[in-house]
Amino acid sequence: GQGLYEAKKYAEAMPILKLAAEAYPKDELLWQQLFITARNTNQTEQAVEFAKLGIRHFPQSYWLWMELGNVLTKLDRLEEAEKALDTAEKIDADNSWLWRYRVNLHKKTKNEQKQFQAWERLSNLVELDGEGLNAVGIAYYNAENYAKAVEFYRRAAAKTPSAYLYFNTGLAYANPKVSQDVDAADAYRQ
């Protein structure tokens, strides 16, 4: 089963790994691999079930809780997803993937405040690339927090100078609520 898993033959590996997990329920890696095989074969409900079974044996597994929260978010089971991610956070609050998953959850729940908190936490844990910083800027722009949007657009442009980042900066400055037209023109020129 693990040979098939390593060869990325997930559909073939799943029934064998399932038997192995039943025989050796105290092997956390088996539960993780079983979850991944289900997820990677688009059997998301089965992935949820495998994660929950694994959690019964390993209630302190931040990985299983975190991945359960992620797949539940994809299934739009948002309350369950938040509870799973809350549990993962209690176990390991410094895992960057947890905060990426929280960003996705809060985008779906349209909770901007929590989304910003997740972005901020993520940016404190890992160095975001230009694309990540731009995504944060867009989130702030959409929430009409133009000063924060400009801050993140500028940080993104410093990492990966690109026309669209300067354009986004210009849009934020040119917004009628900000009306810094000279700064907007400078950004557009860049």
Side-chain angles (χ1 to χ4, degrees):
Q2 290 189 335
L4 292 168
Y5 174 85
E6 294 297 326
K8 298 185 184 201
K9 296 180 180 182
Y10 299 119
E12 296 171 46
M14 190 179 335
I16 299 167
L17 290 174
K18 187 175 180 184
L19 289 172
E22 289 169 3
Y24 301 102
K26 294 297 182 185
D27 185 341
E28 185 177 356
L29 180 61
L30 276 173
W31 291 108
Q32 291 177 2
Q33 291 173 336
L34 199 50
F35 171 86
I36 291 168
T37 59
R39 184 193 62 199
N40 289 359
T41 55
N42 295 316
Q43 297 179 54
T44 49
E45 289 295 341
Q46 187 68 63
V48 168
E49 186 60 31
F50 290 147
K52 288 180 176 181
L53 287 170
I55 286 168
R56 284 188 198 144
H57 296 285
F58 299 95
Q60 292 301 309
S61 172
Y62 80 89
W63 190 92
L64 287 168
W65 282 109
M66 185 177 63
E67 291 300 329
L68 175 61
N70 185 43
V71 78
L72 288 169
T73 299
K74 290 177 182 176
L75 291 170
D76 290 323
R77 292 165 56 181
L78 304 178
E79 275 187 40
E80 286 179 82
E82 187 154 24
K83 287 178 184 175
L85 294 175
D86 286 347
T87 302
E89 183 180 350
K90 288 175 187 169
I91 299 167
D92 183 5
D94 292 331
N95 185 293
S96 64
W97 282 103
L98 168 70
W99 297 101
R100 292 175 206 279
Y101 294 164
R102 281 200 177 277
V103 166
N104 293 336
L105 170 68
H106 299 313
K107 278 182 190 175
K108 281 195 166 192
T109 61
K110 299 184 184 347
N111 187 328
E112 291 176 343
Q113 183 65 28
K114 285 187 174 183
Q115 184 182 349
F116 296 137
Q117 289 170 348
W119 274 121
E120 292 284 342
R121 184 66 186 265
L122 179 60
S123 69
N124 290 333
L125 290 171
V126 296
E127 190 171 331
L128 295 177
D129 61 8
E131 187 177 318
L133 292 167
N134 182 52
V136 179
I138 290 170
Y140 276 117
Y141 182 89
N142 290 338
E144 299 182 2
N145 187 337
Y146 303 110
K148 283 293 240 183
V150 167
E151 173 191 333
F152 279 92
Y153 291 148
R154 284 185 172 183
R155 287 174 56 189
K159 283 192 175 283
T160 17
S162 175
Y164 75 90
L165 294 170
Y166 294 115
F167 180 78
N168 286 352
T169 305
L171 282 178
Y173 279 133
N175 187 286
K177 292 181 180 178
V178 178
S179 196
Q180 289 181 241
D181 296 335
V182 173
D183 292 325
D186 285 344
Y188 289 139
R189 265 195 298 277
Q190 289 178 339

